[in-house]
Amino acid sequence: SPGEKEAEGRPHHSPQLPERREPTQPILGELTAPHVTSDSVQLEWSVPEGTFDSFTVQYRDAQGQPQVLPVDGGSRTVTVPGLSPSRRYKFNLYGVWGRKRLGPISTDAVTAASEPEEEPTQPILGELTALHVTSDSVQLEWSVPEGTFDSFTVQYRDAQGQPQVLPVDGGSHTVTVPGLSPLRRYKFNLYGMWGRKRLGPVSTGAVTGEGGSPAEPKEEPPSQPTLGELTASHVSPDSVQLEWSVPEGTFDSFTVQYRDAQGQPQVLPVDGGSRTVTVPGLSPSRRYKFNLYGVWGRKRLGPVSTDGASASEPEEEPTQPILGELTAPHVTSDSVQLEWSVPEGTFDSFTVQYRDAQGQPQVLPVDGGSRTVTVPGLSPSRRYKFNLYGMWGRKRLGPISTDAVTGEGGRLGLVSPCPLSVSAPAEPKEEPPSQPILGELTASHVSPNTVQLEWSVPEGTFDSFTVQYRDAQGQPQVLPVDGVLRMVTVPGLSPSRRYKFNLYGMWGRKRLGPVSTDAVTGEGGCGHLCPTLSPEPPSQPILGELTASHVSPDSVQLEWSVPEGTFDSFTVQYRDAQGQPQVLPVDGGSRTVTVPGLSPSRRYKFNLYGMWGRKRLGPVSTDAVTGEGGSPAEPEEEPPSQPTLGELTASHVSPDSVQLEWSVPEGTFDSFTVQYRDAQGQPQVLPVDGGSRTVTVPGLSPSHRYKFNLYGVWGRKRLGPVSTDAITAASEPEEEPTQPILGELTAPHVTSDSMKLEWSVPEGTFDSFTVQYRDAQGQPQVLPVDGGSRTVTVPGLSPSRRYKFNLYGMWGRKRLGPVSTDAVTGEGASPAEPEEEPPSQPTLGELTASHVSPDSVQLEWSVPEGTFDSFTVQYRDAQGQPQVLPVDGGSRTVTVPGLSPSRRYKFNLYGVWGRKRLGPVSTDAVTGEGACGHVTDHGFVVGGALTGPMWGSLGTWVSGGLGSVGEDGWKEKGMNGSMSISYLVLSIVAASEPKEEPTQPILGELTAPHVTSDSVQLEWSVPEGTFDSFTVQYRDAQGQPQVLPVDGGSRTVTVPGLSPSRRYKFNLYGMWGRKRLGPVSTDTPEEEPTQPILGELTAPHVTSDSVQLEWSVPEGTFDSFTVQYRDAQGQPQVLPVDGGSRTVTVPGLSPSRRYKFNLYGMWGRKRLGPISTDAVTAPAEPEEEPPSQPILGELTASHVSPDSVQLEWSVPEGTFDSFTVQYRDAQGQPQVLPVDGGSRTVTVPGLSPSRRYKFNLYGMWGRKRLGPISTDAITGEGAASEPEEEPTQPILGELTAPHVTSDSVQLEWSVPEGTFDSFTVQYRDAQGQPQVLPVDGGSRTVTVPGLSPSRRYKFNLYGMWGRKRLGPVSTDTVTGEGASEPEEEPSSQPTLGELTASHVSPDSMQLEWSVPEGTFDSFTVQYRDAQGQPQVLPVDGGSRTVTMLGLSPSRRYKFNLYGMWGRKRLGPVSTDAVTGEGGCGHLTDHGFVVGGALAGPIMGGWLLGWLVGWVNAGMDGWMKVWMRACLVCELGEGWDGCVEMELGGGLDGWMDGWMDGWMDGWMDGWMENREVEWMWMCSGMDGWFLVRWIANRGCGAGDWLCGCLDGQDCGWKEKVMEGGRDRWTRDWLDRLMEG
C-alpha cells in the first residue's frame, strides 16, 4: 500500500515496532440479505479476520445498468435503496485493502411485490389549464384521466428565449411557475414520465399580468380549505414521517416548520397534492415539534402541530468513549487522509474541522463507525491543522488534532515520526510496473437533464476516478467514481446546455488526466455530442513560446502565449525529483501557472500541451533550474516590489452575466477573487487564476445593479479591492455621468388627514425616493416612492397638526438630500411660505372631569393664552397599561371611553406646540356604576355631576336634604344622621335621568379581504346611522399599540408597515359625537372558556452546564411560559418559552450547583403558577485540558511595511486553541484577525502608511480568553514599542456625546488614571434589542453607527482591566437634526418632589413621587436586592408611580429616584420601606398595613373607606366590616377573603366599588389638609378603640406594636418619624400617645 511504501523509506526505530495495520490479509465472510422490502434490500456481512479500508457493493438495476454503492470500512451492513418491486437482484460485495480489491462474496434477493397488481395500461394526460395568473407567475393544473405517472416535467421558454424545465412529482396535479416577466405570452408543455417513456405533451398558453390565460382566471374557491390532524406515523433515529388530512378544499402547497438540534428554524416545502412527507436529518432521541401550514392563494392557514421524538439507539453507553490519536498517514498535493483510534466506547459520529486556503472554516461530517477519512480539495504546499471531534449523545468530545502540509512536504507535527512502521522489510510491495493510462472519454446517452459518460483504460488499473464539470450556475462540481467502473451517469443537468466533462484517474497519490468531452443536453439522445454540433473556430489554435519567468527554490512560474485561436485547457507535464511523471491541469483562459513542490538546485524540463476539443496539441517546452542554480540554503526573496491592481471594468454585459476585465500595472499575483452579492443579497466569491485578466460572472439577474470587488492574492496578502458597478440587461454599465439634483419640495394639496407632495429633479435621474416624517405619536415613518414619480400623497395624518416632510433621492448607493417642507393638516395651510412660530408660547389651563359614567369620563380644559397644534391625553387602563388619546388642537373637550367601573383614573393632558410638548395638567376621577356617588379630588360626584367638596361644604353636598350641616353638626348627629344621608343620596340619584341620543349608529362586520406581506386592507359596514369618524387600533410587531384614524365616510382602509407572517388583531371603533362605539374585531382567536392548568415540572436530563425541564398541561392551553431561576451570581434570569412547548433546556449553568426553577404559564393577561422543581447540575467532567494554564509571551512587530505589519509572539508554557489579534483601522473601526492555535506569527494587511497602530493579542484556551499582550508599530517606519501594564486599577472618567447625527453618535471619554485593556459600549437599538460595541483599550472615542433618527439613546461604557469589568459611565443623547446641541430643553431645570412608598406587600412595593416644577425625560429607580446586588428600573418621564416587584419579605429597602433631564441626572430623592410577611398587619414608615394595604393611621384611603361605609351602612354595619376583616385576616385569608365574605353580608354594590377602589390604593389629596377631621376620627367616637382593636386582633397578644398602643415606649413613634411626615402627623402622634 502507499502507506507501507512510505514506511520503507523511513528509518525504523525499535520502540515503534508494534504495527497498527494487520500484517495478514483480511478475509470476507458470508453475505446475507436479512431485510427485504419492495424497493430496498438490507445486506449484512462479516469479516472473520483483519480489517478492510472500505467496501463496494455492485449490482445491476432494473434497466440492467451497473450500480456501485461505496461503504465505509467499519460498517457491516448497508441498505440498497431505489430497487424495483418483485425483481431478482444479485449483489456482489468487494473488500478494499490497500490497493487490492478482495472478493467478491455474493447473495441473491427478490424484492417484495409493491401493489397486488401492476398498472396494465398506459396512463393518459388530460387537459392542461392556467388556473391563476399574476404578473410574475402562472399556476398550472392538469388531470390524469387514467393511470398514474412517475413524474411530470413542464417546459417553456423564458423572457430571453432560453428553454426552462420544471420537474414535478408524480402525485401532483398542479404547479406554480415562478419568475416570469410581466405582460408576456408563455406557452407551457406538460410531459408525463411513465417508466422510460415520456408521454405528451399537453399544452396551454397564458399572458402574465393581464390574467390572459386561455380560460378566464378563476375566482378564489368559495370556501376556504381546512387542515385536518397532523400525526407522526413512522419514526426512526434520524427521520420522522408526517401525515395529515385536508377535510375540505385544496391547498396550493404546504410548508413544514421545525427547529433542528441546534435550535435553528427549518422549513420543508411540500407540494399541494401531498398528504405525507418524511423529515430527514434529525438527531436521535430528541423531541421535535412540527408545524404544518397550508398555502391557499396569498393566505397561509394553520398551523396544525404535532410533537415527535426521534428514536434512540438501543441503550446509552454506560461509559463515555475516548478519542485516541489522530494521524495523517497519506498526504497528496490536494488531499490528506486522516486516521484515528477509539480506545474505549463508541461515538455516534465525528466531525473534522479545518480552515481552507481562504481561511474559511470547513466541517466534514464522518460516520461513527469510521476510523479514517480523506479530506479533499486542499491547496498544494499549504499547512493545515485538522481538529477531530467525537459526538456522543448531546456531547461533543475532543478535539484531538494534527498538522499536515500538502504536497511533497510530507506531514509535519505528527504525534510520532513513524506511526505506521512495519516489522522488517517483509513483503515489500512493488509499485505496479507501469502507470495506468486513461483512454477516450465519450458521452453515450444524453437526455435533457443527464449525460452518460463512458471511458476505457488501455493499460493498468486506477484506484478511483473523478468527473469534473461546471453546473448551469458556473459552479464546479465533482462526481467520484469507483475504480472498477467504466461508465457513470451525471444527473441534475439543465436542458439545452453545453457541458464540458473532465475525467481524472486516481492512482496512489497521483491524479492522472484529464481526458475530456463535450455534450449538449437536450430533447433527443445522442445527437447533441460536441463533434456533431461543434461551434469551435474553423482554424486550429497555435501554442506560442513557453518561458520560466520566476524561479524559487521550490517552485517555477511558467508563462506562454497563444498567437492564434483559443484552447479549452492546458496541461503541464514534468518529472519530479523521484523521476515520477507529474501532470498539472490549467484552465484554457490562463497564460501563466506556478508549479509548486519542487526540489532546490534541480533542473526540470516542462512540457506544455494545449487541449482543443478532443485533440492535444504541442508540446512547447522549457528548462529551468530551481534555486538560481544551486544555493538551496539561501531563501529566495519576495519580488522587490508589491504587485499593483489596475482598473476594473465591465466590458460585456448580458441579462444574466457580466464580463470583468482588469490590468496589473506592476508585478504578478498568485490568484484573484471576485466578490459580489447576488439578487438575494447573499455574498458570492469567484476564484480566478493569477494569470487571468478577465472573467465572466454567470447566473446574474436581469436589470439588477451589481457591485464587483476584485482582490489580488500575493503570498499571504490580499490586496485591493478595486471595484466596479454594472447593471445587467439593456442598461448601460456605466454610472450616470452627472449626479442628479433634487429641486424644491412643496405641498400643493392639503386635507385634514392627507397631504400631496410634489417635487422636481432639475438634472439627472434617481433610482428611487423616500419621504420621511413623524406621525402623530412621534414615530418615524418612511414612504418609498418610485424613481420616475414626482408626486406622492401621504395618507393617515392627524387633523390640525404640523408635519415636516423630508425627501431623499436614492442614486446608486448614495442617498442625496433631503429637501424639506412643513405643512399643517386641516385648513390647507400653504407650505410654500415657512410659517413663523407663534410669538408667545401657549398655556394650558385647568383640566376637569365634567361627566363621569361607569365606563367613560369627559374631560374639559381651557387654553388661557395662544393655540396648540394638538393635545394628547395619557392615562393607565385597568390593567395598568399606558394609553394615549390624540386630540385635535382646536378641541377643548374629549370623552375617554372604555374605562372600568368603580375605578380611580389619573388623566394627564399635554399640549403639542411645534416640536415641544407642554404640560401636563392633571385630574383624577373615579368611574361609577351610575347608582350612588363617588369621590374625586374635587368633591363628591352624584350621577356624574360634581356636587361639592367632601368636607369643606357639606351643606352643599346635602343641599335640600338636611340643610346646612357643618363639622359640629356631623359630630352631633353621629350614627343617627347616617340613615338620613343615605336616603338623601339615593333620592338624588333617583331624580337624575340621563338623556338618550335619538338614534345611535351601529357598526357592522369587520373583514380583511386583501392581505399582503406588509399590509392588510380592512372593510366594514354601518347598517344604521352615520359616524363622525373611525379609529383602527392594533399592536405592531414590537407589541406597541398603534392607532389609525379614518374619516367617517370611509368603509375601507389599508394598514401599512406590517411584518410578514405575523398574526394581527384589529379593533375598529366608531366615534359618534362624544361617544366611542365598538369595537368590532377581526382575525382574533376566541378566549378559552376554561382556565388552563399547569401540571408537574420535572428535570429529566441534567448535565454539568444545563438542565432540561419538562412539564405537562392537564387542561387547556397557555399562550406562553416563562422559566425563572437565579444564576450562580444570584441574579434572577427569565427564559421565555413558546406556548406549544412542553420542554426547554436551560443553558449556561455552573457545575455541581443546586438550582430552583419556577415555571409560569401566561394565559391572556394572567400569569398562572408557578410550579417548581429543584435540580443539582452534574460535576464538571474531568477536562482533558493541560494541567497548567498556558502563558502568552512577548509580542513583537518583526516586519513593517507601509501597509502591513508582521507580528510574532511566543508561548513559554502550554498550548492555546487559537489566537485573535485586535486593532483599529485608519477609520478607527475595530478589526479582529483570527489566528490558528499552532501559529506564532501573522501578517496584518491593509494598513495605512505612516500611522501608529496598537495590536492586542489574545489567546483562547477552552472557554477562557487570556491576555492581551500588546505592541505598537508605525507603518512605514518599522518602530515598535511595548507598553507596560499599570500596577494600579484604572479609573473611568466622564462619557460625553460631542457629535450627533441623524444615524450615529460619537462618544468620547477620559481615563484619569491607569490604562484599560479594552472597552465595551452597550445600548439598545430602535427595536429595544441590546447591542454591544467592542472598543480597543487605547481609544478614547468611538462612533456608534446605524441609529434611528430623532430617538433617545442611553450609552453605557465599561472598561475591561484584566478579568474585571469596571463601570459603567453613562450618557444620554437624542439623534436627529442637530441633536448635538440640547434642543428644546426646558428653560428651567425640573425639580423632584417627595418619594413615598404607598403599597407594601411581602414581595412588592408601590413608589409614588411628584414633580413640582418642569418635566423629566425619564426616571430611574435604584436599590439593592436581597443579595445586595444593585438593581436599576427605568420609568417613563410621564409616570409618577411604579410598582417594585420581586422583593423579599420582611426586608428593609432603600429606594433612590433619579430624574433624567437631557444629559443631566438630577436627584436622588429617597425613601425607606420594609416589606411585609404576608400575614395581617405590619408597620411601614408611612403607616399601618393590613393584608398588604395601608389601613391607617396615616393612610387617607382608610378614612375614606370608613366614612363612605359609615354613610351607607351605618356605624354598626361598618364596625361589622372591620371586625370581619380582622377575623379573616387573622385566619390568614387576606383582604381578598375579607371582601368576598362581606359582599355576602349585606353590603350593597356601591360598597363593592369602594372596596375595589380602596384596594387599588388611591390616596386622596383632600385628606392631607383635614387635620380636624383626622383627629376626630382617631380620638373621638371610639375611633381610637377601633384602631387599637384592629391592631390587637390582627397582630396577636404581646406584639410590639400592640404594646406600643398600650403606652409602652418601644420606638414606634420614632420609627414613624423617620418617614419625614409633616407637622400635623407629629402633632397627631404626640396627642395620640398622651391619650
Side-chain angles (χ1 to χ4, degrees), residues 1462-1532:
R1463 294 190 181 173
K1464 290 188 178 180
R1465 188 177 74 165
L1466 305 179
V1469 292
S1470 305
T1471 189
D1472 283 18
V1474 180
T1475 50
E1477 297 203 2
C1480 184
H1482 55 278
L1483 186 67
T1484 73
D1485 287 351
H1486 306 291
F1488 184 68
V1489 176
V1490 180
L1494 274 166
I1498 299 175
M1499 177 64 184
W1502 187 87
L1503 178 59
L1504 173 62
W1506 179 85
L1507 172 67
V1508 177
W1510 175 72
V1511 170
N1512 284 274
M1515 192 60 153
D1516 294 337
W1518 181 238
M1519 286 299 296
K1520 179 180 66 175
V1521 173
W1522 281 106
M1523 293 174 66
R1524 276 286 182 89
C1526 290
L1527 288 173
V1528 170
C1529 181
E1530 188 176 30
L1531 294 175

Side-chain angles (χ1 to χ4, degrees), residues 901-955:
S902 304
R903 184 173 183 88
R904 175 177 296 276
Y905 290 87
K906 180 178 182 180
F907 300 97
N908 293 323
L909 176 75
Y910 295 87
V912 180
W913 180 63
R915 293 192 177 177
K916 289 188 179 179
R917 189 179 74 163
L918 304 179
V921 292
S922 304
T923 190
D924 283 18
V926 179
T927 52
E929 300 208 358
C932 189
H934 53 276
V935 181
T936 73
D937 284 352
H938 306 291
F940 188 69
V941 177
V942 180
L946 207 64
T947 61
M950 188 71 182
W951 287 94
S953 302
L954 284 176

Side-chain angles (χ1 to χ4, degrees), residues 524-568:
C526 311
H528 299 276
L529 296 182
C530 180
T532 53
L533 295 180
S534 176
E536 294 170 10
S539 62
Q540 180 171 298
I542 299 172
L543 277 173
E545 186 179 5
L546 176 68
T547 60
S549 56
H550 296 284
V551 180
S552 73
D554 62 354
S555 68
V556 171
Q557 181 177 337
L558 302 177
E559 293 183 356
W560 63 94
S561 61
V562 179
E564 183 176 325
T566 58
F567 286 91
D568 299 328

Side-chain angles (χ1 to χ4, degrees), residues 1160-1175:
Y1160 295 88
M1162 308 304 295
W1163 182 63
R1165 295 192 175 176
K1166 288 189 179 179
R1167 188 178 76 164
L1168 305 179
I1171 53 174
S1172 304
T1173 190
D1174 283 18

Side-chain angles (χ1 to χ4, degrees), residues 823-1137:
V824 179
T825 51
E827 298 298 321
S830 166
E833 50 184 343
E835 296 199 7
E836 294 291 326
E837 288 284 333
S840 63
Q841 181 171 297
T843 308
L844 278 173
E846 187 179 8
L847 177 68
T848 59
S850 56
H851 296 285
V852 181
S853 73
D855 61 351
S856 68
V857 171
Q858 180 178 335
L859 302 176
E860 293 184 357
W861 63 94
S862 61
V863 178
E865 183 179 336
T867 59
F868 286 93
D869 297 333
S870 64
F871 302 95
T872 57
V873 176
Q874 294 186 8
Y875 65 99
R876 290 188 179 269
D877 60 20
Q879 286 73 39
Q881 299 300 316
Q883 302 293 334
V884 178
L885 190 64
V887 186
D888 183 73
S891 299
R892 295 297 180 268
T893 180
V894 71
T895 299
V896 183
L899 307 180
S900 297
S902 304
R903 184 173 183 88
R904 175 177 296 276
Y905 290 87
K906 180 178 182 180
F907 300 97
N908 293 323
L909 176 75
Y910 295 87
V912 180
W913 180 63
R915 293 192 177 177
K916 289 188 179 179
R917 189 179 74 163
L918 304 179
V921 292
S922 304
T923 190
D924 283 18
V926 179
T927 52
E929 300 208 358
C932 189
H934 53 276
V935 181
T936 73
D937 284 352
H938 306 291
F940 188 69
V941 177
V942 180
L946 207 64
T947 61
M950 188 71 182
W951 287 94
S953 302
L954 284 176
T956 305
W957 180 47
V958 294
S959 62
L962 295 177
S964 177
V965 182
E967 293 166 357
D968 293 336
W970 278 103
K971 293 181 183 179
E972 292 173 4
K973 293 183 181 296
M975 291 183 291
N976 296 328
S978 62
M979 298 307 294
S980 300
I981 296 172
S982 301
Y983 181 81
L984 169 64
V985 171
L986 294 176
S987 301
I988 295 173
V989 173
S992 61
E993 295 183 2
K995 296 180 180 179
E996 287 287 332
E997 292 291 336
T999 58
Q1000 182 171 298
I1002 300 173
L1003 279 172
E1005 187 179 8
L1006 178 68
T1007 60
H1010 299 287
V1011 180
T1012 72
S1013 61
D1014 61 352
S1015 68
V1016 171
Q1017 180 180 341
L1018 302 176
E1019 290 185 359
W1020 63 92
S1021 60
V1022 179
E1024 184 178 332
T1026 58
F1027 286 93
D1028 300 331
S1029 65
F1030 302 95
T1031 58
V1032 176
Q1033 294 185 8
Y1034 64 99
R1035 288 188 178 270
D1036 60 20
Q1038 286 73 40
Q1040 298 302 316
Q1042 302 292 334
V1043 178
L1044 190 64
V1046 186
D1047 185 73
S1050 299
R1051 296 296 180 268
T1052 179
V1053 70
T1054 298
V1055 183
L1058 306 181
S1059 297
S1061 304
R1062 184 175 181 89
R1063 175 179 296 277
Y1064 289 87
K1065 178 180 180 180
F1066 299 97
N1067 293 325
L1068 176 76
Y1069 294 87
M1071 306 306 294
W1072 181 63
R1074 295 186 175 177
K1075 288 190 178 179
R1076 187 177 74 165
L1077 305 179
V1080 290
S1081 304
T1082 189
D1083 202 15
T1084 177
E1086 290 294 321
E1087 194 83 46
E1088 289 291 335
T1090 60
Q1091 180 170 300
I1093 299 173
L1094 280 172
E1096 187 179 7
L1097 178 67
T1098 60
H1101 299 287
V1102 179
T1103 71
S1104 61
D1105 61 350
S1106 68
V1107 170
Q1108 181 181 341
L1109 302 176
E1110 290 187 359
W1111 63 93
S1112 60
V1113 179
E1115 184 177 332
T1117 58
F1118 286 93
D1119 300 329
S1120 64
F1121 303 94
T1122 57
V1123 176
Q1124 295 186 7
Y1125 64 100
R1126 289 188 178 270
D1127 60 22
Q1129 287 73 39
Q1131 298 300 316
Q1133 302 292 334
V1134 178
L1135 190 65
V1137 186

Side-chain angles (χ1 to χ4, degrees), residues 500 537 540-544 560-570 586-591 608-613 615-618:
K500 179 177 180 182
Q540 180 171 298
I542 299 172
L543 277 173
W560 63 94
S561 61
V562 179
E564 183 176 325
T566 58
F567 286 91
D568 299 328
S569 65
F570 303 94
V586 186
D587 184 72
S590 299
R591 297 295 181 268
L608 176 75
Y609 294 86
M611 307 303 296
W612 181 64
K615 290 188 178 180
R616 188 176 74 165
L617 305 180

